[in-house]
């Protein structure tokens, strides 16, 4: 019989309490659900066992990474259709974010058993899932981390998991700019131009000029350091915890003849002792710091700046929770993408910078720019998919496609934001050194 898809569709609608938003194709070739649009393909019954053992997002994510689930059609369109059932939030009764509509995690299975119809649906799912036990997680899943969260050693492990997967892989995703953060788009521009414009925007906000010292925290593959040294003549110290990034950046520095201006180090920001610097750029690094360590991060950077020095903090933000203690890191992101990464509301970031002694002078939101950037990266990865698989693994490529596509939709639908915060360590007399009309960089 070829009836797996209709049975799956009926089970899904019972468990979700809503009509199935996408068409489903099962391992036996059968299909069910609304016609048109992308199709969720359940290639193996093992996908169902993964969901039974880890109900919700994590079970689905493991099935996707393992290749048990695929999409026939537009991944963005499919994720957009299922977002409301998995992670999208609307306004709650108090005006704040409402809880995620679909239950997730091991407790979800217990909740389902309280309803007779759902108990029957779970029994049907068990029948469809086939032989047990639970499948092992895909090898791309981060190992359990020991040590204190956001200690130096554990941060090194987390950074290595994400970044030390091969520089050639990142070349396929990011393109020649090798910039791994939100670009700054023009209406008719491309990715490379947008990344160059973003680096230049940061330099202008920091008022860089020849002879100044710049500390680039989380320097990645050296693109900001190279741009600042080449275009503005500053002396740059770039720091990263990734040895692969550092090796790549040093090679670029040598090839461009800028070794007298750029120093790339494998170093934790907490270990930098050679201040003061005239300016600090932190682009896409603060997401790794963690809420418990953010005040230390802000105070450390404040202490590394001379009076009158500027900080440009470029950071992803999330909406605030009605109860901030309820915030939980996304399971898929934590396990497969950014172990121990944490997002904070913009107000929390600004508050911690001010508590550290900074005067915040400008905040620029670039949310739509990051959606465009992520869509460009997805297009590049799809274009170079075979090479990327050869350089890493099929599972790693599936991780990146899912993570980048889902995040692009998150920025488009205002579930995520990204902001450039310009702050200054004002002089004792209160002088900031900033012009009366600050926003000249957008011209």
């Amino acid at each position: 019989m070829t009836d797996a898809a209709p049975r799956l569709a009926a089970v899904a609608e019972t468990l979700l309490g809503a009509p199935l938003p996408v068409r489903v194709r099962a391992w036996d070739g059968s299909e069910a659900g609304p016609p048109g649009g992308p199709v969720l393909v359940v290639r193996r019954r093992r996908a169902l066992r993964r969901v039974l053992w880890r109900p919700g997002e994590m079970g689905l994510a493991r099935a996707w990474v393992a290749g048990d689930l695929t999409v026939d059609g537009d991944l963005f369109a499919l994720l957009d259709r299922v977002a409301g059932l998995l992670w999208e939030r609307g306004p709650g009764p108090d005006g704040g974010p409402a809880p995620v509509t679909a239950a997730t995690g091991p407790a979800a299975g217990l909740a389902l058993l309280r309803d007779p119809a759902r108990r029957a649906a779970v029994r049907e799912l068990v029948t469809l899932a086939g032989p047990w036990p639970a499948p092992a997680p895909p090898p791309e899943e981060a190992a359990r981390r020991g040590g204190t969260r956001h200690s130096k050693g554990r941060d090194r492990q987390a950074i290595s998991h994400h970044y030390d997967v091969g520089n050639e892989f990142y070349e396929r995703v990011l393109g020649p700019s090798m910039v791994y953060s939100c670009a700054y788009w023009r209406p008719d521009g491309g990715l490379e131009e947008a990344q160059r414009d973003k680096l230049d925007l940061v330099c202008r906000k920091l008022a860089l000029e020849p002879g100044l010292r710049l500390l680039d925290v989380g320097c990645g593959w050296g693109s900001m350091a190279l741009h600042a040294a080449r275009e503005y003549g500053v002396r740059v110290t770039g720091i990263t915890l990734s040895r692969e990034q550092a090796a790549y950046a040093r090679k670029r520095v040598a090839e461009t003849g800028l070794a007298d201006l750029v120093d790339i180090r494998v170093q934790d920001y907490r270990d930098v002792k050679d201040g003061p610097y005239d300016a600090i750029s932190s682009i896409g690094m603060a997401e790794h710091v963690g809420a418990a360590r953010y005040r230390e991060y802000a105070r450390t950077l404040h202490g590394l700046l001379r009076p009158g020095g500027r900080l440009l903090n470029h950071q992803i933000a999330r909406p605030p929770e009605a109860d901030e203690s309820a915030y939980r890191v996304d399971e898929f992101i934590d396990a497969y993408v950014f172990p121990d990464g944490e997002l904070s509301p913009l107000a929390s970031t600004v508050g911690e910078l001010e508590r550290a002694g900074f005067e915040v002078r400008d905040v620029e939101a670039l949310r739509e720019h990051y959606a465009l950037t992520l869509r460009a990266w997805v297009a590049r990865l799809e274009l170079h998919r075979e090479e990327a698989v050869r350089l890493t693994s099929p599972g790693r490529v599936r991780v990146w496609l899912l993570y980048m596509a889902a995040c692009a939709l998150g920025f488009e639908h205002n579930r995520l934001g990204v902001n450039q915060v310009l702050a200054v360590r004002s002089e004792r007399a209160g002088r900031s050194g900033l012009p009366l009309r600050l926003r000249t960089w957008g011209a």
Side-chain angles (χ1 to χ4, degrees):
M1 296 180 65
T2 55
D3 62 350
R7 293 166 66 188
L8 270 177
V11 166
E13 291 185 351
T14 300
L15 296 180
L16 293 171
L20 198 65
V22 295
R23 192 163 183 81
V24 173
R25 181 184 306 141
W27 56 90
D28 63 357
S30 61
E31 293 191 13
V39 178
L40 180 65
V41 183
V42 186
R43 297 181 61 233
R44 305 183 188 94
R45 299 167 73 187
R46 185 175 64 186
L48 308 184
R49 298 200 293 277
R50 294 189 186 277
V51 173
L52 282 165
W53 279 94
R54 287 296 299 270
E57 179 183 334
M58 194 59 175
L60 290 169
R62 285 177 170 174
W64 169 266
V65 175
D68 300 332
L69 287 178
T70 60
V71 173
D72 183 0
D74 187 343
L75 176 60
F76 288 99
L78 183 135
L79 290 174
D80 214 13
R81 291 190 184 192
V82 304
L85 297 174
L86 293 177
W87 56 72
E88 187 171 81
R89 302 182 183 203
D94 60 352
V100 176
T101 54
T104 60
L110 297 176
L112 292 174
L113 299 179
R114 298 192 186 105
D115 178 72
R118 290 185 170 184
R119 283 202 301 271
V122 170
R123 286 195 294 270
E124 173 75 337
L125 190 59
V126 170
T127 301
L128 286 166
W132 295 67
E140 290 79 12
E141 189 168 312
R144 293 286 179 184
R145 280 92 69 192
T148 305
R149 190 179 181 88
H150 295 298
S151 63
K152 293 177 184 178
R154 184 153 158 172
D155 278 355
R156 282 194 297 271
Q157 294 175 34
I159 293 299
S160 179
H161 172 85
H162 186 76
Y163 294 104
D164 292 340
V165 298
N167 294 324
E168 290 184 322
F169 170 75
Y170 279 99
E171 287 176 338
R172 304 306 186 277
V173 177
L174 304 179
S177 71
M178 289 299 283
V179 178
Y180 186 36
S181 54
C182 171
Y184 192 58
W185 291 81
R186 304 182 189 190
D188 57 349
L191 178 62
E192 290 306 304
E193 181 183 37
Q195 290 294 14
R196 184 178 63 250
D197 285 350
K198 188 273 300 297
L199 297 177
D200 210 62
L201 177 69
V202 172
C203 291
R204 295 200 306 276
K205 288 183 176 183
L206 291 173
L208 298 183
E209 58 184 43
L212 296 185
R213 295 186 73 207
L214 169 68
L215 175 64
D216 186 27
V217 180
C219 68
W221 293 271
S223 299
M224 174 63 191
L226 287 165
H227 186 86
R230 182 177 58 245
E231 303 299 330
Y232 290 84
V234 297
R235 290 175 290 138
V236 189
T237 299
I239 60 172
T240 174
L241 294 179
S242 167
R243 295 190 178 278
E244 289 194 18
Q245 282 187 333
Y248 190 96
R250 287 168 182 156
K251 184 173 182 290
R252 294 176 76 190
V253 168
E255 289 173 347
T256 52
L258 292 171
D260 58 330
L261 289 177
V262 180
D263 176 30
I264 302 295
R265 306 174 186 170
V266 178
Q267 189 173 38
D268 193 289
Y269 71 92
R270 290 163 283 194
D271 294 329
V272 177
K273 306 297 183 186
D274 61 347
Y277 286 87
D278 300 291
I280 298 176
S281 55
S282 179
I283 307 172
M285 176 271 175
E287 297 87 345
H288 296 288
V289 170
R293 296 279 189 178
Y294 205 93
R295 191 164 301 179
E296 178 187 14
Y297 162 81
R299 287 175 174 170
T300 299
L301 299 192
H302 185 270
L304 287 167
L305 276 174
R306 63 163 176 81
R310 300 184 189 186
L311 164 70
L312 191 287
N313 191 79
H314 177 121
Q315 182 177 342
I316 297 172
R318 61 172 173 83
E321 301 277 356
D323 175 11
E324 277 296 312
S325 66
Y327 169 66
R328 296 291 182 270
V329 176
D330 181 272
E331 282 189 296
F332 166 67
I333 297 292
D334 188 54
Y336 287 97
V337 186
F338 291 110
D340 292 342
E342 296 178 39
L343 301 182
S344 297
L346 172 61
S348 299
T349 296
V350 170
E352 291 295 355
L353 291 173
E354 290 181 329
R355 290 184 188 96
F358 281 107
E359 181 187 3
V360 173
R361 296 300 299 254
D362 187 81
V363 177
E364 184 172 7
L366 302 175
R367 176 171 64 82
E368 293 87 351
H369 292 262
Y370 220 154
L372 292 170
T373 306
L374 284 157
R375 282 185 176 268
W377 288 342
V378 169
R380 282 193 55 84
L381 183 53
E382 289 281 19
L383 181 64
H384 300 287
R385 185 166 188 158
E386 290 186 9
E387 293 176 84
V389 166
R390 176 179 55 81
L391 292 167
T392 54
S393 69
R396 180 73 65 182
V397 171
R398 285 191 286 265
V399 165
W400 273 72
L401 288 171
L402 177 60
Y403 134 66
M404 293 193 298
C407 285
L409 294 172
F411 285 106
E412 288 172 359
H413 296 311
N414 197 22
R415 295 192 297 269
L416 293 170
V418 62
N419 306 282
Q420 288 192 350
V421 179
L422 179 66
V424 62
R425 178 177 176 171
S426 297
E427 297 178 7
R428 182 166 297 182
R431 290 186 297 271
S432 68
L434 276 75
L436 288 177
R437 293 192 176 188
L438 188 59
R439 286 213 172 204
T440 59
W441 50 73

